[in-house]
Amino acid sequence: MNVQDTPEEARFRVEVRSWLQATAPEFCKDLPADRSGIEYAARGQDWQRKKAAAGFAAICLPQTLGGRDASPMMEVIFAEEEARYPLPVGPLTSIGVGLAVPTILAHGTPEQIERFVKPTLLGELLWCQLFSEPAAGSDLAGLRARATRDGDDWIISGQKVWNSWAHVAHWGLLVARSDASVPKHKGLSYFLLDMRTPGVEVRPIRQISGESEFNEVFLNDVRIPDCCRIGQVGEGWKVTMTTLMNERVSVGGESGTLPDVRSVLGLLQTLEPELQAVYRMQLARLAAQEQGLKYFRFRLLTQISRGEMLSAVAGMGKLVYANLLQDLSSLALDIAGTAGLYPETASPAMAAELKKFHDGYFWGAALRIAGGADEILRNQIAERALGLPGDIRVDKEVAFSKLPSGR
Amino acid sequence: MDFDFSDEQKMLRDEAHRFLGDVSSFASIRRHLETGSAFDRGLWARLGEMGWLGVAVAEEQGGLGFGPLELCVLNEELGRCLAPVPFFSTVCIAAEILKGCTGAAAARLLRRIVGGQAVVTLASAERSDWNFDIATRFAGGKVSGSKTLVADLPGADALIVTALDADKEPLLLLVDALANGVMRTALQGLDALRPQAHLVLDQVDADVLARGDEARQLLARVHEQAAIFAAFEQIGGAQGALDMIAAYGQQRYAFGRPIAGNQAVKHKLADMLVKIELARSNAYYGAWSLEAGPAERPVAAAAARLSAIEAFEFAAEENLHLHGGIGYTWEADCQFYYRRSRLLAVSLGNAAQWSQKLLAGYSRGI
Ligand SMILES: Cc1cc2nc3c(=O)[nH]c(=O)nc-3n(C[C@H](O)[C@H](O)[C@H](O)COP(=O)(O)OP(=O)(O)OC[C@H]3O[C@@H](n4cnc5c(N)ncnc54)[C@H](O)[C@@H]3O)c2cc1C
């Protein structure tokens, strides 16, 4: 039982720290206030390039692919140290590095790997995920975007929605229905879509937070060459699962810019002692969750570093973190009272702190839905980890074209 | 990072799981309750033969020479099967205190514990627990006072008693439970499987085990350690309750299918597992701190206790609830986890106390 870095890990941490100290501050300076804009994305790409040049872009991948052949533990060490700085990181680059790259590596042809992996790691390609549709989110396999074969091409028509960073992405990961006459999981195919293709129309959606980080994407008879299909025709679900599995492991990483127990405790200490006492047990309960999540990840890392398969409980990390973030943020905003809702009335330092709780209040809500909503994750834990019966399903053996649909 | 129990420790867990599965069941617990005896002496003797009573005691002192991690492993398995033995008070508390004492009396008693010849319990609680805010006095080799809620006192052979001398200096004393002047009154409580009693000492012969700061520090360290062992016991209990309802939920049919097929039911079971895994992760950190992290230990103990209390309470309450009417009967075994989860939620300090410790740790910057 040991939680300390091995000598090798400790050396790597020192290396990473000194590299970040020398490099990161410049990339954190004067970041644009609009964190979903094109300018912000460009800054994110710059940072990705910088990391790639120093060999930190894909720590676990083989050197031939642009990685450094190191252990997953080293990747975590880098992420931990990186999270100490308010850098332009997040889904903007991680959709490519964390979802597209492993998916293409697992199911792509050597040509596809050659064409996409390095440029993505180098920050040259930004990606978006074109999965969800107005009528298919949790029930992703119920998607309707159609893929019709036409010679060496496919013609795609349909609508995607909630697609983060589609407004700046160069390429998209797309699932579409190539056969509606078979049950829904069996008629899907998976494609890589060049977002500049004629017929692709991206419209930003304004979010509850006021930002526009996600979009709706209309696909009007968009042509995709067959060489951009990943996996076999009709086996798109298998490829999709690879993407989703990587998403569920990655979603839920903390960042230094979001609220944590320490920041709420700081706020609590501004209250009268009697009022503090009322909140303390509630906060301690969340503190125990924060600690538990940290050490749960340590356990997963230990398993990963031994090359063991992760069990279905591994998916609980996102479930716990999303709820913790929402609970912590709303507790903080409760402690701050009415004034906390109006950061501009506070001192600059306090205003920045309050802004963080506002962000957490919104982002917590988003995380509880994105990448598998709470209820879907609970179903998975119950069915896969505990072996409990599945839900009653009316769509299993029925041709997709015969299924009922709602709003 | 290597954040896991070793292969040998896992083997011990598997062995304990198999062994306890064979010898301890709800049926045997019920038989034991009917005998009215303080603990299951047959099982206790077997634990002694297997070396468990000295698992964390040095080989020179007759033990197996392992450490606190092995105690964590055993506590989890004992917590799952609720075996009616005074393992926690004797092995996890008393023996750990004796290990920290010098002197022949402590060494002799430790050997007797390891050999299964002595059940020993700590008698410290008066106004509050685990401190020296007490009225019990020691003078001229004799101790007088009274202690409340002493766990496993009815079957104890020896007692470790907290007291103050004439100069109000803290003392840990060793008392023979059969000595003249020792009076025990059994108490009826929520969990009969772990009997508690009231203790009155009237001019009883006692030996000094430790005094002054040494006594104070020893008691504080054993308390923190015990909190971490208790967290493992709670996790075992929570897992036992989850296993019970997962099995029942598949067998019990309503509306033409197993009740566990309904989301309202299965999501609760998923939440049980999530709470258990969080608690387990904190308890692992606690286990790590037992050997390697004295500075981190108070916070590790607090987080482990808080999340273990929550996990066991939730699992025990929902296990009973999801059994429906049968869950509310004497005949069903849900009661055992229901009772034990409440007992363990308050022994060694309740959630409010551990909350203060955890936040104090954050304020210090753990
Ligand atoms: C911030 C954010 C970013 C996103 N980014 C992307 C992206 O980049 N690309 C992309 O493709 N998608 C993205 N999504 C979409 C996301 O994957 C979906 O929103 C999510 O899968 C839920 O689908 P839905 O919105 O259609 O909700 P629905 O599926 O309609 O669910 C509505 C509610 O019903 C519950 N529910 C549904 N089915 C069940 C069931 N069987 N049992 C119990 N409860 C059920 C859900 O848990 C949920 O609470 C993003 C979402 C958010 C919030």
Side-chain angles (χ1 to χ4, degrees):
Chain A
M1 186 79 74
N2 190 7
V3 293
Q4 263 126 6
D5 288 341
T6 62
E8 193 195 353
E9 289 160 1
R11 264 196 308 279
F12 183 67
R13 196 182 288 278
V14 170
E15 180 192 338
V16 167
R17 267 196 195 158
S18 65
W19 183 78
L20 283 168
Q21 240 162 36
T23 326
E26 182 195 337
F27 287 81
C28 302
K29 256 204 322 250
D30 309 320
L31 282 175
D34 175 8
R35 285 167 307 173
S36 52
I38 291 175
E39 205 192 318
Y40 188 84
R43 300 285 294 271
Q45 271 181 288
D46 285 346
W47 176 240
Q48 183 66 30
R49 279 189 200 108
K50 192 79 189 173
K51 281 201 290 192
F56 294 122
I59 291 167
C60 302
L61 289 188
Q63 279 169 2
T64 48
L65 292 168
R68 69 157 64 203
D69 244 334
S71 71
M73 197 53 222
M74 306 291 193
E75 180 143 353
V76 171
I77 290 172
F78 185 85
E80 277 174 6
E81 297 301 324
E82 190 186 32
R84 294 171 192 269
Y85 296 86
L87 285 157
V89 292
L92 164 69
T93 41
S94 70
I95 298 174
V97 177
L99 303 187
V101 166
T103 305
I104 296 169
L105 284 176
H107 302 280
T109 60
E111 295 74 36
Q112 288 165 333
I113 292 172
E114 172 74 34
R115 180 168 172 199
F116 293 108
V117 169
K118 254 194 195 160
T120 304
L121 297 178
L122 286 171
E124 302 309 333
L125 294 186
L126 292 178
W127 290 78
C128 65
Q129 186 187 13
L130 303 169
F131 282 14
S132 305
E133 296 184 5
S138 302
D139 182 15
L140 181 58
L143 60 85
R144 297 176 189 181
R146 264 205 337 264
T148 317
R149 188 76 193 238
D150 181 37
D152 276 347
D153 291 345
W154 292 83
I155 298 177
I156 315 285
S157 57
Q159 185 196 338
K160 296 288 173 180
V161 72
W162 322 128
N163 312 110
S164 303
W165 296 100
H167 55 296
V168 298
H170 306 101
W171 282 79
L173 303 168
L174 170 73
V175 213
R177 185 165 307 281
S178 46
D179 185 354
S181 69
V182 292
K184 62 183 189 180
H185 291 88
K186 298 188 176 146
L188 303 174
S189 298
Y190 195 110
F191 303 94
L192 305 180
L193 168 64
D194 183 342
M195 294 297 282
R196 290 162 308 182
T197 314
V200 176
E201 189 191 334
V202 180
R203 292 191 204 150
I205 299 175
R206 190 157 182 214
Q207 291 161 190
I208 186 175
S209 58
E211 296 166 322
S212 295
E213 188 240 55
F214 61 33
N215 306 271
E216 47 187 349
V217 175
F218 295 87
L219 304 168
N220 307 311
D221 293 333
V222 172
R223 266 183 190 277
I224 300 184
D226 192 48
C227 66
C228 287
R229 172 172 49 80
I230 302 268
Q232 298 303 308
V233 176
E235 290 189 1
W237 187 245
K238 206 166 95 188
V239 187
T240 304
M241 289 313 293
T242 301
T243 312
L244 293 181
M245 262 158 46
N246 280 287
E247 184 171 24
R248 274 165 206 170
V249 181
S250 71
V251 175
E254 289 94 307
S255 126
T257 57
L258 285 169
D260 56 9
V261 170
R262 193 179 304 282
S263 57
V264 183
L265 193 60
L267 190 67
L268 184 62
Q269 277 153 358
T270 63
L271 293 188
E272 301 288 314
E274 293 106 88
L275 270 181
Q276 281 191 33
V278 182
Y279 283 113
R280 285 179 82 82
M281 237 172 120
Q282 217 177 325
L283 183 58
R285 186 171 168 266
L286 299 179
Q289 288 179 22
E290 185 179 77
Q291 297 275 304
L293 189 57
K294 173 172 167 194
Y295 300 119
F296 178 71
R297 298 221 173 97
F298 281 17
R299 286 171 60 208
L300 294 185
L301 278 174
T302 300
Q303 282 175 281
I304 292 173
S305 65
R306 291 177 184 164
E308 290 170 15
M309 282 279 288
L310 295 186
S311 79
V313 233
M316 76 178 228
K318 202 250 341 173
L319 175 66
V320 172
Y321 180 65
N323 283 276
L324 175 61
L325 180 59
Q326 192 175 45
D327 291 349
L328 271 177
S329 306
S330 62
L331 179 64
L333 291 177
D334 204 81
I335 291 169
T338 333
L341 305 180
Y342 304 95
E344 71 217 285
T345 62
S347 68
M350 182 53 95
E353 208 48 22
L354 289 171
K355 186 70 185 35
K356 186 154 100 174
F357 297 126
H358 287 215
D359 287 350
Y361 186 60
F362 289 124
W363 192 236
L367 272 184
R368 287 189 53 200
I369 301 166
D374 287 1
E375 291 72 20
I376 301 303
L377 296 181
R378 286 198 175 93
N379 260 5
Q380 284 184 353
I381 293 168
E383 291 167 23
R384 299 200 193 143
L386 294 172
L388 301 179
D391 291 353
I392 291 175
R393 297 278 295 263
V394 296
D395 58 352
K396 269 257 159 107
E397 306 301 328
V398 187
F400 178 74
S401 54
K402 300 275 189 312
L403 289 177
S405 60
R407 59 172 285 181
Chain B
M1 165 133 25
D2 183 23
F3 193 51
D4 198 358
F5 286 98
S6 69
D7 288 344
E8 291 74 22
Q9 287 155 354
K10 287 182 190 163
M11 264 163 59
L12 176 65
R13 172 161 55 207
D14 294 345
E15 181 193 311
H17 189 80
R18 268 194 311 275
F19 171 73
L20 292 170
D22 287 345
V23 300
S24 179
S25 63
F26 288 113
S28 69
I29 285 175
R30 285 172 187 273
R31 278 196 302 277
H32 160 74
L33 281 174
E34 274 161 22
T35 65
S37 60
F39 62 95
D40 183 340
R41 288 179 192 275
L43 181 55
W44 189 247
R46 306 263 321 254
L47 300 189
E49 285 159 22
M50 297 180 48
W52 290 13
L53 306 182
V55 72
V57 175
E59 281 170 301
E60 308 87 77
Q61 290 172 298
L64 294 185
F66 296 113
L69 293 182
E70 282 72 13
L71 282 180
C72 293
V73 165
L74 292 180
N75 271 301
E76 181 174 344
E77 292 309 319
L78 288 162
R80 179 200 302 264
C81 74
L82 305 168
V85 284
F87 190 85
F88 201 87
S89 38
T90 302
V91 178
C92 299
I93 296 177
E96 291 297 307
I97 292 175
L98 294 171
K99 275 162 68 179
C101 299
T102 48
R108 263 199 313 276
L109 186 55
L110 197 53
R111 274 191 181 274
R112 287 178 58 212
I113 289 178
V114 173
Q117 294 116 17
V119 166
V120 187
T121 185
L122 170 70
S124 81
E126 295 183 23
R127 274 184 294 268
S128 58
D129 211 352
W130 289 96
N131 58 40
F132 286 95
D133 177 18
I134 49 177
T136 299
R137 287 293 182 276
F138 178 71
K142 308 256 182 203
V143 61
S144 295
S146 69
K147 302 283 180 181
T148 179
L149 299 177
V150 184
D152 293 318
L153 178 61
D157 302 298
L159 314 171
I160 296 172
V161 176
T162 54
L164 299 176
D165 69 9
D167 301 325
K168 301 257 169 94
E169 202 183 25
L171 299 169
L172 290 172
L173 304 174
L174 179 56
V175 170
D176 181 346
L178 300 174
N180 279 336
V182 174
M183 279 157 285
R184 319 182 219 189
T185 318
L187 299 167
Q188 297 298 318
L190 201 69
D191 185 354
L193 282 172
R194 185 159 290 177
Q196 314 260 336
H198 190 76
L199 173 71
V200 177
L201 300 166
D202 182 16
Q203 292 288 316
V204 182
D205 287 331
D207 288 329
V208 175
L209 287 171
R211 64 167 66 241
D213 282 344
E214 194 193 325
R216 218 187 278 282
Q217 282 159 14
L218 183 56
L219 194 65
R221 178 167 64 71
V222 170
H223 182 216
E224 261 166 30
Q225 244 181 251
I228 293 161
F229 297 144
F232 277 94
E233 189 181 356
Q234 289 170 302
I235 288 163
Q239 187 72 52
L242 171 56
D243 291 349
M244 189 190 266
I245 188 57
Y248 184 76
Q250 301 250 41
Q251 290 152 10
R252 171 74 178 169
Y253 275 58
F255 302 97
R257 63 195 304 252
I259 56 167
N262 298 292
Q263 287 192 358
V265 175
K266 74 184 189 190
H267 285 187
K268 276 191 177 156
L269 271 60
D271 284 342
M272 283 185 199
L273 184 59
V274 168
K275 286 178 195 290
I276 290 171
E277 288 306 319
L278 283 180
R280 197 186 294 284
S281 305
N282 275 326
Y284 272 38
Y285 186 61
W288 168 80
S289 79
L290 285 174
E291 287 201 314
E296 290 85 356
R297 199 181 300 138
V299 166
R305 275 289 283 167
L306 281 175
S307 53
I309 290 171
E310 182 172 333
F312 195 10
E313 270 206 298
F314 182 74
E317 289 174 4
E318 296 308 319
N319 173 43
L320 186 157
H321 174 74
L322 295 172
H323 272 73
I326 190 78
Y328 190 62
T329 62
W330 189 259
E331 181 195 337
D333 296 322
C334 308
Q335 57 160 317
F336 297 116
Y337 289 125
Y338 196 64
R339 293 169 188 280
R340 181 57 55 86
S341 74
R342 199 77 299 288
L343 173 72
L344 292 184
V346 292
S347 26
L348 300 165
N350 60 17
Q353 289 163 295
W354 290 110
S355 292
Q356 295 286 30
K357 288 199 179 144
L358 182 54
L359 293 187
Y362 266 86
S363 299
R364 281 197 313 273
I366 27 171

